[in-house]
């Protein structure tokens, strides 16, 4: 059993030092447990080490079968979770680190959504079943690099390329279409790979993306919308027909989205700007959680105020209090996207919303009860009127001033008799 072809270089000393997960005691212990067979770091963690980034996941490839990995980990007292045992993946917890250990594999059958795999000992076959060349890099604990499919050159040249034939890789898992645009936006520095674009466009035209689960599409779409270069990603998706396939009726306009990116990095706000005006069907199609669906419904529904109300800085505290600072900020951004004349106002409003701390109304229902107001709907009615008076006064009134106003309103509401001089005089008529 031979290792994949090694490059003539290691990680630079600074890159190696900036990847402590690679050489820390936990990693050393884990590799010892998996030895003496070779076990290598693989995929995104190696790619990110080369770029000086912190990895989201730490993956290890091994020729050991999953059951043997589990046995060794448990024998060594390392917590092991069979997270994807059918596909050869075991999670090892050595807090604070977490490692995903996967047996070398080759695809036996694929249908665009799922893969049937066979375990093996062939490092080259394991590399060739992956999606992009930059995700098929391997490294040992000393930082020696193994590059069986040319990923290192692609990473250095800012190129995202499918391994082998793009159409074949896409046909194995149609989610790779969306992953291509995400990875291109993150790691590429030039034009999109023509073969990859053609394969993605063909899959979209054939309706292949409709075979993916809504949850997988949603999760990948949200990752794209969270990218700094989201406009570039969406532009390529629109060009290839992929955006129409995953979000029919979308409202993507590059110049509008450039403004949005400059104002907010909130992926959910970007989704709200992207959704069609009649967004209920799109929201349902994405299978959002209840909380996510509620947020989208709030963002896509008409705001209870218009742009004119937002132009008065003095009115912001009252609007923030009534509707929430984040709600007002988000709707102000959405209102301003299609009118560049409104953009000058937004930085001040966004800053005010960030600094806003909602004041606490000084009175409670108990205060009215103590002053003789009978329990019931009247308590809530008077309390809301008092709160509106306090809000309209700029929230300046303290507790004593609010209590004084409360007594006055109770008295004139008939819960106390009016003063002597205000008693109605008897009518002179019989």
């Amino acid at each position: 059993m031979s290792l994949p072809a090694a490059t003539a270089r290691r990680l630079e000393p600074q890159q190696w030092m900036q990847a402590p997960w690679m050489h820390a005691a936990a990693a050393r212990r884990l590799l010892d447990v998996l030895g003496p067979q070779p076990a290598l770091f693989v995929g995104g963690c190696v790619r990110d080490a080369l770029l000086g980034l912190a990895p989201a996941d730490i993956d290890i490839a091994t020729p050991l079968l999953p059951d043997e990995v589990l046995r060794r980990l448990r024998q060594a007292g390392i917590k092991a979770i069979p997270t994807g045992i059918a596909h050869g993946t075991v999670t090892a917890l050595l807090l604070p680190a977490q490692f995903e250990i996967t047996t070398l594999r080759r695809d036996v059958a694929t249908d665009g959504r799922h893969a049937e795999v066979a375990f093996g000992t062939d490092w080259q076959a394991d590399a060739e079943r992956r999606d992009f060349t930059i995700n098929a890099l391997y490294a040992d604990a000393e930082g020696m690099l193994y590059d069986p499919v040319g990923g290192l050159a692609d990473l250095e040249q800012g190129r995202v390329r499918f391994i082998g034939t793009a159409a074949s890789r896409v046909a194995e898992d149609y989610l790779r279409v969306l992953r291509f645009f995400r990875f291109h936006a993150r790691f590429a520095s030039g034009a999109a790979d023509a073969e990859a674009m053609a394969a993605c466009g063909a899959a979209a035209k054939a309706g292949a993306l409709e075979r993916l689960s809504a949850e997988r599409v949603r999760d990948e779409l949200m990752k794209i919308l969270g990218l700094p270069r989201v406009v570039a990603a969406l532009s390529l998706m629109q060009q290839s027909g992929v955006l129409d396939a995953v979000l029919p009726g979308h409202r993507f306009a590059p110049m509008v989205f450039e403004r949005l990116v400059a104002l907010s990095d909130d992926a959910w706000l970007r989704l709200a700007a992207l959704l069609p005006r009649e967004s209920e069907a799109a929201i349902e199609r994405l299978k959002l959680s209840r909380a996510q669906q509620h947020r989208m419904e709030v963002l896509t529904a008409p705001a209870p105020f218009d742009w004119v109300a937002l132009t008065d800085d003095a009115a912001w505290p009252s609007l923030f209090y009534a509707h929430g600072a984040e709600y007002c900020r988000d709707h102000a951004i959405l209102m301003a996207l299609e009118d560049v004349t409104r953009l000058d106002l937004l930085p001040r409003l966004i800053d005010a919303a960030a600094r806003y701390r909602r004041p606490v109304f000084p009175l409670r229902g108990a205060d009215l009860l103590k002053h003789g107001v009978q329990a019931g709907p009247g308590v809530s009615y008077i309390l809301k009127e008092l709160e509106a008076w306090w809000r309209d006064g700029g929230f300046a009134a303290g507790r004593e001033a609010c209590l004084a106003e409360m007594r006055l309103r109770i008295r004139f509401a008939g819960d106390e008799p009016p003063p002597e001089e205000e008693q109605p005089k008897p009518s002179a008529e019989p």
Side-chain angles (χ1 to χ4, degrees), residues 275-305:
L275 288 174
R277 296 192 184 279
E278 298 297 327
S279 58
E280 294 82 0
I283 291 173
E284 175 63 25
R285 185 166 49 249
L286 291 174
K287 298 295 181 186
L288 304 181
S289 70
R290 185 171 297 179
Q292 293 165 350
Q293 185 171 345
H294 175 70
R295 185 170 186 202
M296 284 299 98
E297 289 171 350
V298 167
L299 286 172
T300 55
F305 48 80

Side-chain angles (χ1 to χ4, degrees), residues 160-206:
V160 174
R161 183 170 59 89
F162 281 104
I163 295 169
T165 304
S168 298
R169 297 288 81 76
V170 166
E172 291 165 354
D173 183 353
Y174 294 123
L175 193 68
R176 288 173 173 172
V177 170
L178 296 179
R179 283 172 59 83
F180 169 75
F181 295 105
R182 175 162 66 91
F183 276 78
H184 178 81
R186 283 195 66 194
F187 301 113
S189 56
D193 182 75
E195 183 186 353
M197 285 289 288
C200 292
K205 185 176 181 180

Side-chain angles (χ1 to χ4, degrees), residues 182-225:
R182 175 162 66 91
F183 276 78
H184 178 81
R186 283 195 66 194
F187 301 113
S189 56
D193 182 75
E195 183 186 353
M197 285 289 288
C200 292
K205 185 176 181 180
L209 300 181
E210 297 174 9
R211 298 176 57 188
L212 293 169
S213 71
E215 291 82 1
R216 294 184 80 198
V217 171
R218 176 201 65 209
D219 292 346
E220 197 62 39
L221 180 60
M222 294 313 298
K223 290 177 183 177
I224 292 171
L225 291 175

